[in-house]
Amino acid sequence: MYTDLEQYKALSQPIVWGAVENCFTLDMEIDESLVSNISIIPTVGEHYAVIQLEDGRWELAGGTLEPGEHYQDALVREVREELGAELKSYTRFGCFKCRSSAAQPYRPHIPHPSFIRLVGYGEVELVGKPLNPPDGEQIAVVDVVDIDEAVRRFEEIGRHDIAELYLLAHQLRQAERRL
């Protein structure tokens, strides 16, 4: 399915997160050895799960791979840790191709200075509370909301990139159902 990224203003332009410049792409031809992070737009039926950190920010679920960890295993772990959920399905739909200007990688085992952050959507089953490991982000809230509310929460804090990822995932899910 063809999707025009031009309608997603934040995703169609380079995004800078600190020392890292990111370009989002729907290109799925990637070198898996460069994958450092995995993210998910979590779905619960027709709704979307959103997470809020202890500091009040809404954030995208997912995280950095551990040493030697495959991205699919990292996704299962991150879904448990951040959502208190079990992963039922996952569909990759894009990635951030990243380049860091930092002298050292974020963690010694991840690729540097170029790396890839995979993005997809997937069905989750909420089974408990977030695990909140001491070395991870502390999740205060997991809410299940409709797409409009999810987008509103991210836009409200200026995270148009995440809002657009949710909208893109929603568009792709709708198109998949029509096939």
Side-chain angles (χ1 to χ4, degrees):
M1 184 195 101
Y2 173 75
T3 299
D4 180 13
L5 275 185
E6 290 301 314
Q7 65 183 307
Y8 300 98
K9 289 182 173 47
L11 292 178
S12 63
Q13 309 211 6
I15 301 168
V16 177
W17 298 323
V20 178
E21 184 171 315
N22 305 271
C23 291
F24 182 77
T25 179
L26 297 170
D27 179 12
M28 295 311 301
E29 296 294 319
I30 59 160
D31 178 350
E32 288 194 7
S33 71
L34 294 178
V35 174
S36 67
N37 296 69
I38 184 85
S39 297
I40 184 172
I41 310 302
T43 63
V44 179
E46 298 303 310
H47 291 83
Y48 294 85
V50 292
I51 59 172
Q52 186 177 40
L53 305 180
E54 281 186 340
D55 67 8
R57 290 179 297 135
W58 296 99
E59 190 54 79
L60 182 61
T64 305
L65 278 62
E66 297 295 335
E69 188 176 43
H70 186 270
Y71 68 82
Q72 191 69 30
D73 296 328
L75 180 62
V76 169
R77 177 181 51 76
E78 291 289 346
V79 164
R80 278 192 203 118
E81 290 177 359
E82 295 186 351
L83 295 161
E86 291 182 15
L87 182 66
K88 298 298 179 188
S89 68
Y90 184 71
T91 303
R92 286 179 18 202
F93 66 82
C95 67
F96 286 96
K97 292 186 177 178
C98 309
R99 182 149 187 88
S100 175
S101 62
Q104 301 293 323
Y106 169 66
R107 292 194 179 155
H109 66 278
I110 65 170
H112 183 77
S114 296
F115 56 95
I116 295 172
R117 302 171 69 104
L118 295 177
V119 180
Y121 60 85
E123 183 74 18
V124 300
E125 180 182 349
L126 301 176
V127 295
K129 293 183 179 184
L131 298 179
N132 285 332
D135 63 339
E137 292 178 317
Q138 300 301 296
I139 309 303
V141 175
V142 176
D143 275 348
V144 177
V145 298
D146 65 25
I147 187 62
D148 294 331
E149 179 62 16
V151 168
R152 184 193 69 75
R153 291 184 188 190
F154 291 114
E155 286 181 341
E156 191 174 75
I157 62 166
R159 290 303 306 266
H160 300 283
D161 54 338
I162 300 175
E164 289 181 2
L165 287 172
Y166 270 75
L167 282 171
L168 180 55
H170 183 72
Q171 176 189 4
L172 293 169
R173 290 179 73 214
Q174 299 296 82
E176 186 178 274
R177 288 191 186 111
R178 287 191 292 266
L179 294 177

